[in-house]
Amino acid sequence: MRILALGILLAMLLAACENPARYSLEKEQQNVSGKTVVLVHGYSKGPSDMHTLADFLKAAGYRPLTVDLPLTFDHVEEAAEIFDKKVGTVLSELPDNESIAMVGHSTGGIVIRYFLSHSGQYHRVDRAVLIAAPNQGSRLAGMAGEISELLVETLATLDSLRPEKIGELSLEAPEKTRIGAIAGNKGDLALGRLLENENDGRVEVASVYYPGLDDFIVVPYNHNEIHHREKTASLVIRFLESGRFKNYDRIK
């Protein structure tokens, strides 16, 4: 058991030490027409992790913008405050009656939900897609806290994601925004073996779902690949266009 605990600690620390390229599509996309879609990366990642999805959206006629948020050593509330300001800048450059959409991977989806629940600008968002977001909290983050409080105090984003802490974010379901969630069930990543229920190797399928969603679908991908797949992108685009994924809740 001690070896297992040390393994979890090592995996969490390695994830926090990742240093992805930190650049944004915002300037690149300024002259691209089409509906604006703000893309939000996940825990310990950066804007570059959303570039594959951005390329699919751009090809479909959208104007994707990425943001760089401190989602490792900061609590979700702190990252969301920065996100609110960045979204304000984006909205200030658009007509007052023009809406935008948001798509987030993993913790990025929680940041989007926090924005929709607490920002005065939430009404400008008409569609949101949450990809592999731990809406009911992350069991792995909970395990990390059980092993070491110091760990989650240092990696504060994990602290926000613990199942017993996720409720403190007061995440609501705004009436004017249609929200869809995509979960993965390919649990072939090492940490997924620590989870008892169906999962994507990081987040349990049951945690991605929550009451109030306008649509929910499960795809056969793991947590690291789900937002890079063309099939996922096609589902995102379908939801942005219609507010629905499909008439059934699983695809092969």
Side-chain angles (χ1 to χ4, degrees), residues 130-133 181-185 200 203-206 208-209 216-221 226:
L130 317 174
I131 303 173
I182 302 174
N185 65 357
D200 65 3
V203 177
E204 293 178 324
V205 171
V208 180
Y209 177 82
F216 175 73
I217 194 166
V218 180
V219 295
Y221 304 130
I226 188 170

Side-chain angles (χ1 to χ4, degrees), residues 75-129:
H75 284 98
V76 165
E77 299 95 322
E78 297 168 311
E81 183 177 348
I82 295 172
F83 180 62
D84 196 356
K85 293 177 181 178
K86 290 178 179 287
V87 172
T89 299
V90 172
L91 293 174
S92 69
E93 299 172 352
L94 300 174
D96 292 339
N97 62 346
E98 185 171 330
S99 62
I100 64 172
M102 293 181 174
V103 181
H105 172 245
S106 193
T107 309
I110 303 302
V111 171
I112 289 174
R113 288 191 64 199
Y114 191 92
F115 174 90
L116 294 174
S117 300
H118 301 283
S119 174
Q121 307 175 100
Y122 78 93
H123 61 283
R124 297 287 298 275
V125 183
D126 64 353
R127 298 279 193 276
V129 180

Side-chain angles (χ1 to χ4, degrees), residues 168-189:
E168 296 178 8
L169 297 177
S170 300
L171 304 177
E172 305 293 340
E175 296 181 0
K176 295 184 178 180
T177 305
R178 291 190 64 83
I179 303 176
I182 302 174
N185 65 357
K186 185 180 178 182
D188 60 347
L189 301 178

Side-chain angles (χ1 to χ4, degrees), residues 54-249:
D55 288 341
F56 284 123
L57 289 170
K58 184 178 179 181
Y62 291 91
R63 177 178 177 254
L65 304 179
T66 61
V67 293
D68 190 359
L69 298 177
L71 289 174
T72 302
F73 302 106
D74 294 69
H75 284 98
V76 165
E77 299 95 322
E78 297 168 311
E81 183 177 348
I82 295 172
F83 180 62
D84 196 356
K85 293 177 181 178
K86 290 178 179 287
V87 172
T89 299
V90 172
L91 293 174
S92 69
E93 299 172 352
L94 300 174
D96 292 339
N97 62 346
E98 185 171 330
S99 62
I100 64 172
M102 293 181 174
V103 181
H105 172 245
S106 193
T107 309
I110 303 302
V111 171
I112 289 174
R113 288 191 64 199
Y114 191 92
F115 174 90
L116 294 174
S117 300
H118 301 283
S119 174
Q121 307 175 100
Y122 78 93
H123 61 283
R124 297 287 298 275
V125 183
D126 64 353
R127 298 279 193 276
V129 180
L130 317 174
I131 303 173
N135 291 302
Q136 304 289 351
S138 166
R139 177 58 186 144
L140 291 178
M143 291 179 186
E146 293 169 3
I147 295 169
S148 171
E149 280 292 331
L150 178 60
L151 176 66
V152 293
E153 287 175 4
T154 302
L155 306 177
T157 302
L158 292 181
D159 184 45
S160 296
L161 298 179
R162 288 198 274 182
E164 65 269 26
K165 292 287 190 73
I166 200 79
E168 296 178 8
L169 297 177
S170 300
L171 304 177
E172 305 293 340
E175 296 181 0
K176 295 184 178 180
T177 305
R178 291 190 64 83
I179 303 176
I182 302 174
N185 65 357
K186 185 180 178 182
D188 60 347
L189 301 178
L191 289 178
R193 299 174 184 174
L194 302 178
L195 302 173
E196 297 180 359
N197 301 315
E198 186 179 29
N199 65 83
D200 65 3
R202 291 287 188 277
V203 177
E204 293 178 324
V205 171
S207 181
V208 180
Y209 177 82
Y210 68 91
L213 284 170
D214 291 291
D215 207 351
F216 175 73
I217 194 166
V218 180
V219 295
Y221 304 130
N222 68 39
H223 195 76
N224 292 341
E225 68 184 350
I226 188 170
H227 54 309
H228 296 290
R229 294 293 189 173
E230 183 175 5
K231 188 172 292 185
T232 302
S234 68
L235 289 170
V236 169
I237 292 168
R238 184 177 295 119
F239 192 88
L240 296 182
E241 293 175 347
S242 67
R244 298 287 296 177
F245 293 126
K246 279 179 175 283
N247 294 325
Y248 48 94
D249 64 358

